[in-house]
RNA sequence: GUCCCGUUCGUCUAGCCAGGUUAGGACACCGGGUUUUCAUCCCGGCAACAGGGGUUCGAAUCCCCUACGGGACGCCA
């Protein structure tokens, strides 16, 4: 504790802008934030957008917006700036380049010219021999000068970490004490890809050091990469930060929390009508209790009393029913009727949101009182459905298949708007050789809970991707409970079929 | 498969580090009360130290083994 007080504590959360803003990111951000606040330090937000195939601007904005919605305020970041920026890794390429050169010079890393074919052959050979797949050090034996020349001639190459062949890496985790991993277990990690971008490992270590991060609080999934990071700190002659690895949030089946099994997008909870303070409070309850065991607490309550040694290490299951109870307490105990009005206004009862619905509803109205039944599904988390209505004009098992396919196709959508959503269904109808009229009743009911409703594509656009996905999942559950679901085998063959007809799925 | 991390009610957890508790609280669930209904609220109930070996007068707590769960093994992060 004493050495924590001596230097200024700095923590960070470093999400990569791919896909939806994840509750796991918020969970990590919260613990980093309260740790920094407790010790009078700073909390930094850094965007790790080194995967140029998957990173998107939209996703970065979503991260900023969602963490902002939760009131997890960062002291430095890409939007607010700071003295040690830039805070977006894609803007720091020259910095990484300098450091890569340093490693190349001091032998901490080496150039590797192996083709991806050779690498994948190597991998399959190793798998066949039941060995752990890893790089065999082929290019390590290259003469460095010769390698440098080949590189400057334009031959594509990657830069790999030079890992000791013997001994073990010992490092400390503040919650687990000593962790020992044999160097023989550590792969010669690629540090710079052939496109010139750094990988996570390099960028992360360089940035954490240059941004004076004192405590790296991150998910348990990183423990095995610890040796790579320690090795990099050593190669640069830097003192490593302290590490705190938090247990991972889990699905009810105990696997790592994933959107396949649970709503993981922060926006899902916003759109489904949760209060940000309740969501944060719940996240704080995962793996942690305040010293006095309070259940209702704010970020500042948690900051004032935070003690990282109270973190429990079993992976907590993200259980929505307790979150709902907690949200209910916030609603009932913290809000007056007037507050509630204001909050409902912030949520969906405002001109902007209603304004999107009204043009769709207007042609379908005879009286005002027709409006609410038409639009109520946009204000609900889920809708009431049964097997018959869900099946529509399809056989129930076909409905299951098609809903699954739609889920996968919808995930590919970059822009969640009516027209592209419509295109998805048109494409499915075409490929499956169905008329849209046969296909759509199922989706109408799944999304709106009724066959009398607003135009579906526009309605889905308004509902948002997260709630739409939840409804499709619910429909699948209803079908499955009635015995019309997809078996494990069926799902596998569907995936193959899907890949053949529609192309690869994305994550 | 190899390595790493973990394991207290169905779930979140307290207790463990500094061995002695009827193993406590909360969610969920069940029952009762209040409420014109429902919800809230109140009362009650259910339910756990993964297993086996040590150490000790005494183990949820310290040590070892086993089992189980999870994670990592990418030019993803």
């Amino acid at each position: 504790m004493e050495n924590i007080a001596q230097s200024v504590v700095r923590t960070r959360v470093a999400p990569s802008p791919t896909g939806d803003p994840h509750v796991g990111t918020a969970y990590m951000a919260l613990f980093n934030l309260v740790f920094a606040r407790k010790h009078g330090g700073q909390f930094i937000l850094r965007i790790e957008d080194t995967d140029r195939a998957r990173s998107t601007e939209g996703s970065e904005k979503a991260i900023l917006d969602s963490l902002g919605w939760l009131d997890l305020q960062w002291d430095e970041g890409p939007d607010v700036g700071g003295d040690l920026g830039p805070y977006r890794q894609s803007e720091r390429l020259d910095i990484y380049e300098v450091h890569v050169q340093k490693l190349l010079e001091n032998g901490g890393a080496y150039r590797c010219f192996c083709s991806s074919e050779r690498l994948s052959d190597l991998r399959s050979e190793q798998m066949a021999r039941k060995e752990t797949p890893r790089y065999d050090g082929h290019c390590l034996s290259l003469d460095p000068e010769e390698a440098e020349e080949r590189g400057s001639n334009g031959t594509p190459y990657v830069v790999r970490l030079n890992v000791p062949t013997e001994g073990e890496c010992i490092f400390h985790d503040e919650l687990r004490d000593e962790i020992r991993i044999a160097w023989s277990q550590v792969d010669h990690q690629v540090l710079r890809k052939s496109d010139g971008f750094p990988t996570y490992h390099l960028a992360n270590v360089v940035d954490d050091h240059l941004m004076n991060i004192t405590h790296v609080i991150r998910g348990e999934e990183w423990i095995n990469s610890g040796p790579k990071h320690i090795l990099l700190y050593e190669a640069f002659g830097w003192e490593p930060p302290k590490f705190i690895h938090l247990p991972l949030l889990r699905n009810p089946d105990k696997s790592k929390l994933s959107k396949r099994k649970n709503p993981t997008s922060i926006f899902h909870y916003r759109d489904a009508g949760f209060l940000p303070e309740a969501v944060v409070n719940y996240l704080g309850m995962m793996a942690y209790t305040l010293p006095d065991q309070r259940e209702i607490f704010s970020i500042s309550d948690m900051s004032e009393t935070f003690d990282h040694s109270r973190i429990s290490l079993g992976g907590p299951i993200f259980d929505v029913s307790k979150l709902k109870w907690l949200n209910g307490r916030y609603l009932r105990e913290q809000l007056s009727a007037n507050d509630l009005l204001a909050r409902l206004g912030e949520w969906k009862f405002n001109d902007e949101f209603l304004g999107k619905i009204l043009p769709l509803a207007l042609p379908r109205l005879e009286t005002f009182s027709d409006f609410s039944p038409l639009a109520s599904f946009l204000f609900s988390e889920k809708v009431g459905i049964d097997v018959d209505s869900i099946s529509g004009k399809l056989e129930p098992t076909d409905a299951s298949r098609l809903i699954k396919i739609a889920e996968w196709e919808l995930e590919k959508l970059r822009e969640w708007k009516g027209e592209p959503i419509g295109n998805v269904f048109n494409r499915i109808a075409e490929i499956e050789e169905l008329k849209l009229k046969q296909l759509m009743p199922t989706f109408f009911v799944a999304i709106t809970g009724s066959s009398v409703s607003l135009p579906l594509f526009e309605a889905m656009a308004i509902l948002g991707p997260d709630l739409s996905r939840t409804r499709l999942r619910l429909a699948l559950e209803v079908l499955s409970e009635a015995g019309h679901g997809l078996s494990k085998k069926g799902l596998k063959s569907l995936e193959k079929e899907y890949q053949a007809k529609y192309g690869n799925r994305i994550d």
Side-chain angles (χ1 to χ4, degrees):
Chain A
M1 269 322 194
E2 283 136 44
N3 39 1
I4 292 177
Q6 277 165 15
S7 61
V8 181
V9 165
R10 288 170 61 88
T11 63
R12 53 45 169 197
V13 66
S16 65
T18 55
D20 300 320
H22 201 276
V23 288
T25 304
Y27 164 69
M28 293 301 159
L30 174 63
F31 279 81
N32 275 280
L33 171 67
V34 297
F35 185 87
R37 291 277 179 277
K38 165 70 186 180
H39 298 288
Q42 289 111 36
F43 166 58
I44 286 97
L45 172 65
R46 184 173 71 224
I47 296 292
E48 308 224 326
D49 55 349
T50 55
D51 182 346
R52 77 192 201 313
R54 293 199 306 149
S55 297
T56 65
E57 261 177 57
S59 176
E60 177 183 320
K61 183 177 184 305
I63 289 167
L64 263 45
D65 288 351
S66 61
L67 296 182
W69 178 67
L70 291 171
D71 201 28
L72 296 165
Q73 296 170 357
W74 48 97
D75 302 298
E76 299 165 29
D79 54 338
V80 294
D83 294 337
L84 299 171
Y87 295 90
R88 197 177 282 120
Q89 289 185 329
S90 59
E91 294 167 14
R92 301 172 63 81
L93 297 180
D94 48 341
I95 299 174
Y96 307 128
E97 193 48 40
V98 170
H99 288 87
V100 165
Q101 289 309 322
K102 230 180 248 180
L103 291 176
L104 250 15
E105 279 161 29
N106 71 16
Y110 62 95
R111 292 177 179 80
C112 168
F113 298 89
C114 292
S115 64
S116 46
E117 290 76 43
R118 183 178 119 74
L119 259 22
S120 71
D121 287 352
L122 178 67
R123 184 165 300 136
S124 29
E125 277 171 35
Q126 287 168 328
M127 303 258 267
R129 272 181 269 137
K130 299 201 167 175
E131 289 170 12
T132 305
R134 44 197 299 250
Y135 186 62
D136 61 357
H138 182 261
C139 291
L140 187 54
S141 56
L142 259 39
D143 175 55
E145 281 179 30
E146 194 186 314
E148 186 173 354
E149 206 181 301
R150 266 177 83 180
S152 49
N153 286 345
T155 314
Y157 66 94
V158 300
V159 175
R160 286 183 184 274
L161 181 64
N162 189 359
V163 178
T165 47
E166 283 177 6
E168 59 182 0
C169 177
I170 303 174
F171 65 102
H172 279 267
D173 175 275
E174 299 300 298
L175 302 176
R176 286 161 247 258
D177 258 3
E178 211 170 78
I179 293 173
R180 295 160 166 265
I181 295 173
W183 287 119
S184 62
Q185 292 294 323
V186 181
D187 200 4
H188 290 201
Q189 180 66 47
V190 170
L191 299 176
R192 192 185 66 180
K193 311 172 211 177
S194 52
D195 67 2
F197 275 60
T199 57
Y200 167 84
H201 303 277
L202 196 252
N204 189 264
V205 165
V206 168
D207 287 347
D208 282 345
H209 179 258
L210 295 179
M211 294 181 183
N212 294 333
I213 300 303
T214 57
H215 297 261
V216 169
I217 304 173
R218 42 137 74 144
E220 203 174 12
E221 55 193 329
W222 295 109
I223 289 181
N224 286 290
S225 312
K228 293 172 186 171
H229 303 157
I230 296 291
L231 194 56
L232 282 169
Y233 282 104
E234 280 173 7
F236 287 122
W238 297 336
E239 190 192 337
K242 303 245 188 250
F243 292 100
I244 298 177
H245 290 96
L246 297 181
L248 262 20
L249 261 22
R250 314 265 194 109
N251 296 311
D253 69 0
K254 296 192 185 245
S255 56
K256 175 167 137 178
L257 190 64
S258 66
K259 76 172 171 190
R260 300 238 171 276
K261 299 174 180 171
N262 239 343
T264 57
S265 163
I266 297 168
F267 287 147
H268 171 269
Y269 295 93
R270 181 194 63 187
D271 295 348
F274 289 84
L275 294 166
E277 53 268 49
V279 174
V280 169
N281 188 155
Y282 182 67
L283 254 13
M285 225 164 196
M286 298 279 89
Y288 189 70
T289 44
L290 297 211
D292 63 4
Q293 311 254 349
R294 245 177 300 180
E295 299 203 278
I296 302 281
F297 55 85
S298 65
I299 294 174
S300 42
D301 293 334
M302 195 172 165
S303 301
E304 281 162 24
T305 58
F306 189 67
D307 170 7
H308 69 275
S309 73
R310 296 186 60 81
I311 294 170
S312 63
L313 298 178
I317 291 169
F318 192 91
D319 172 18
V320 179
S321 74
K322 191 155 184 172
L323 171 58
K324 280 192 178 164
W325 161 78
L326 195 62
N327 200 72
R329 284 198 59 179
Y330 270 87
L331 243 27
R332 283 177 257 117
E333 294 171 16
Q334 322 264 322
L335 263 45
S336 67
N338 269 335
D339 296 333
L340 179 60
L341 181 63
R343 294 296 206 113
L344 279 171
E346 285 170 28
W347 183 54
K348 290 182 178 176
F349 291 93
N350 54 54
D351 289 353
E352 193 201 340
F353 192 76
L354 290 171
K356 292 182 195 163
I357 307 171
L358 265 16
L360 306 178
L362 194 52
R364 295 170 170 76
L365 298 183
E366 288 181 321
T367 64
F368 294 150
S369 53
D370 292 334
F371 177 73
S372 168
L374 269 178
S376 68
F377 73 95
L378 292 165
F379 299 89
S380 314
E381 186 192 355
K382 27 179 105 157
V383 291
I385 47 175
D386 59 59
V387 186
D388 288 342
S389 60
I390 264 302
S391 304
K393 300 193 171 166
L394 303 166
E395 289 300 314
T397 42
D398 287 333
S400 285
R401 287 181 53 251
L402 290 162
I403 292 172
K404 200 77 213 172
I405 288 172
E407 243 182 39
W408 291 334
E409 279 296 278
L410 254 10
E411 267 171 32
K412 291 180 179 171
L413 234 46
R414 287 249 166 155
E415 203 187 17
W416 192 262
K417 285 188 177 163
E419 203 184 315
I421 293 170
N423 292 339
V424 165
F425 287 101
N426 277 304
R427 182 165 135 87
I428 294 175
E430 198 178 309
I431 293 180
E432 301 296 327
E433 296 178 353
L434 287 167
K435 291 201 168 121
L436 214 49
K437 262 195 170 164
Q438 294 171 285
L439 180 67
M440 292 320 290
T442 289
F443 290 94
F444 243 98
V445 172
I447 298 291
T448 70
S450 162
S451 48
V452 181
S453 189
L454 306 177
L456 186 65
F457 307 147
E458 292 303 325
M460 283 178 72
I462 297 171
L463 229 207
D466 300 304
L467 285 180
S468 299
R469 183 157 49 224
T470 305
R471 303 244 171 124
L472 294 183
R473 196 199 333 262
L474 180 70
L476 237 25
E477 268 170 37
V478 168
L479 287 165
S480 160
E481 271 163 31
H484 305 295
L486 296 159
S487 63
K488 260 196 177 161
K489 251 182 150 180
L491 188 63
K492 272 220 159 141
S493 73
L494 182 62
E495 274 194 79
K496 273 200 177 155
E497 185 192 325
Y498 174 83
Q499 203 169 349
K501 291 203 248 175
Y502 296 82
N504 282 331
R505 269 172 52 196
I506 56 156
D507 264 286

